[in-house]
């Protein structure tokens, strides 16, 4: 998205179609080249998330690869206290499902221009960022905040790629403790559901009223299994035995086979008793 070619007065913000404000970005104070950031207030009402409040979140486009979350936080801190910064490859809803993983277990981030969500603590800071003059550049690399690029950045990434075994073991132990805790909570929840849905002697299930505003939960796996077994028993009772001719014929064959088997067993038992008889009158 290219900025408008219309000349603006000095000290005035540059607003382009779409409601974006153009902010100039310089890597260092003596750098000639400038980079453009495009910011606007985040107003996605369909996204009901407390992590991106509608009146305090700034949506930022065209963030260069050398700007990390810490650098972006420092850049926008001059407009007010920054609560959080989130960088993503593409715009989208907030996703925070599952446990928080360490950087050792996350996929490698793509190196490219990204979008960001900057959350301020006060709404006045957002208005200050939107009204920033376009001819006053934001400086990325300063003496207080040095940013490494090129070979120095590669050396730093290579050095950080080495993992301390003790630190890694501590991260793994912490993750496994949280995993075991979640599994215990899940097992306890399933046990309580099974107790609530347990049938009495007459086959009745006690149904209790939940708290106000709670949504109905789906049946648990144990309850579905019990229902399936009950249906199978009812179907078995309703099944008509020896209704068809082939069923009657098969039943007769099985009965004759059982009688023959019993007859052979009785013959062997009688022969064994005769062999063990010790009384010989002659």
């Amino acid at each position: 998205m290219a900025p408008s070619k219309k000349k603006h007065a000095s000290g005035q913000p540059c607003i382009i179609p779409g409601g974006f404000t153009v902010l100039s970005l310089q890597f260092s104070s003596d750098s000639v080249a400038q980079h453009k950031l495009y910011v606007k207030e985040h107003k996605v009402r369909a996204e009901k998330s407390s992590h991106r409040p509608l009146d305090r979140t700034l949506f930022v486009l065209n963030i260069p690869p050398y700007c990390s979350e810490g650098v972006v936080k420092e850049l926008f801190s001059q407009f007010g206290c920054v609560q959080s910064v989130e960088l993503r490859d593409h715009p989208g809803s907030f996703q925070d499902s599952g446990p928080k993983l360490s950087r050792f277990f996350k996929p490698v981030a793509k190196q490219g221009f990204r979008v960001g969500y900057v959350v301020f603590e006060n709404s006045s800071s957002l208005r200050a960022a939107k009204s920033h003059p376009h001819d006053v550049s934001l400086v990325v690399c300063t003496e207080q905040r040095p940013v490494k690029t090129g070979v120095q950045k590669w050396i730093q990434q290579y050095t950080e790629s080495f993992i301390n075994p003790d630190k890694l073991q501590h991260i793994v132990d912490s993750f496994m403790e949280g995993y075991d805790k979640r599994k215990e909570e899940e097992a306890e929840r399933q046990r309580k559901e099974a107790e609530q849905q347990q049938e009495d002697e007459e086959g009745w299930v006690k149904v209790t009223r939940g708290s106000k505003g709670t949504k109905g939960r789906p049946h648990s796996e144990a309850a579905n299994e019990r229902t399936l077994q009950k249906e199978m028993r009812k179907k078995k009772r309703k099944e008509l035995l020896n209704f068809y001719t082939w069923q009657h014929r098969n039943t007769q064959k099985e009965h004759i086979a059982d009688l023959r088997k019993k007859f052979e067993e009785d013959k062997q038992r009688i022969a064994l008793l005769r062999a063990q008889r010790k009384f010989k009158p002659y």
Side-chain angles (χ1 to χ4, degrees):
M1 185 181 295
S4 175
K5 296 182 179 180
K6 182 180 179 180
K7 294 184 178 180
H8 294 265
S10 178
Q12 296 295 325
C14 176
I15 302 177
I16 61 175
F20 286 92
T21 301
V22 182
L23 299 182
S24 299
L25 189 70
Q26 282 184 337
F27 182 76
S28 60
S29 57
D30 56 350
S31 178
V32 179
Q34 289 187 349
H35 183 79
K36 302 298 182 182
L37 298 179
Y38 307 99
V39 302
K40 69 181 297 187
E41 184 179 355
H42 179 63
K43 291 184 178 180
V44 181
R45 299 191 179 276
E47 181 184 329
K48 298 180 180 179
S49 173
S50 60
H51 300 277
R52 296 176 185 172
L54 297 178
D55 57 339
R56 294 188 287 113
T57 304
L58 187 69
F59 178 56
V60 188
L61 286 177
N62 206 29
I63 299 177
Y66 52 79
C67 287
S68 61
E69 292 185 355
V71 173
V72 174
K73 185 175 182 179
E74 289 290 337
L75 283 175
F76 287 92
S77 293
Q78 58 181 313
F79 304 114
C81 190
V82 177
Q83 179 178 335
S84 64
V85 174
E86 180 190 357
L87 299 183
R88 297 174 61 91
D89 296 329
H90 304 284
S93 59
F94 185 85
Q95 296 179 351
D96 191 17
S97 59
K100 188 177 181 181
L101 298 178
S102 171
R103 65 181 181 88
F104 302 120
F105 303 102
K106 291 181 180 179
V108 180
K110 296 180 181 179
Q111 298 295 326
F113 291 87
R114 293 182 288 180
V115 300
Y117 298 89
V118 182
V119 180
F120 294 98
E121 291 189 357
N122 299 316
S123 57
S124 58
S125 303
L126 188 144
R127 292 191 295 269
K130 290 170 59 178
S131 60
H132 184 71
H134 73 283
D135 54 352
V136 180
S137 301
L138 304 177
V139 181
V140 176
C141 182
T142 61
E143 295 181 357
Q144 297 80 13
R145 188 183 62 251
V147 177
K148 295 182 180 180
T149 57
V151 178
Q152 294 181 352
K153 183 178 180 180
W154 293 344
I155 294 174
Q156 182 182 2
Q157 291 177 349
Y158 177 75
T159 305
E160 293 177 351
S161 64
F162 292 98
I163 303 174
N164 186 0
D166 297 335
K167 185 177 181 181
L168 180 60
Q169 186 65 42
H170 176 70
I171 294 173
V172 172
D173 293 341
S174 301
F175 178 82
M176 292 307 299
E177 289 177 2
Y179 176 79
D180 294 339
K181 185 178 180 181
R182 290 192 300 271
K183 293 295 288 184
E184 291 177 359
E185 292 176 352
E186 179 68 17
E188 182 68 19
R189 184 183 64 82
Q190 292 181 357
R191 186 184 64 81
K192 290 182 178 179
E193 287 184 355
E195 289 180 354
Q196 291 178 356
Q197 298 178 359
Q198 189 174 6
E199 298 178 355
D200 57 12
E201 296 178 355
E202 298 180 357
W204 292 91
V205 178
K206 183 178 180 181
V207 180
T208 57
R209 183 178 181 181
S211 57
K212 186 177 181 181
T214 57
K215 295 182 179 179
R217 292 177 296 180
H219 290 290
S220 63
E221 225 174 285
N224 293 336
E225 185 67 23
R226 288 196 299 271
T227 305
L228 182 61
Q229 292 178 0
K230 186 188 294 184
E231 292 295 330
M232 292 296 291
R233 288 195 298 268
K234 291 170 71 175
K235 184 178 179 181
K236 194 173 182 180
R237 287 196 301 266
K238 291 180 180 179
E239 185 179 356
L240 297 177
L241 298 176
N242 298 333
F243 181 77
Y244 297 101
T245 306
W246 62 269
Q247 287 181 332
H248 186 64
R249 185 166 57 246
N250 290 343
T251 304
Q252 287 181 341
K253 288 181 179 180
E254 292 175 359
H255 183 61
I256 293 173
D258 291 339
L259 290 177
R260 287 176 177 172
K261 183 178 179 182
K262 187 177 180 182
F263 177 71
E264 293 295 333
E265 291 176 353
D266 292 341
K267 282 175 62 177
Q268 293 177 3
R269 189 179 300 110
I270 293 172
L272 182 61
L273 291 175
R274 286 177 177 174
Q276 292 177 352
R277 187 173 60 185
K278 296 181 182 179
F279 177 70
K280 296 181 180 180
Y282 304 103

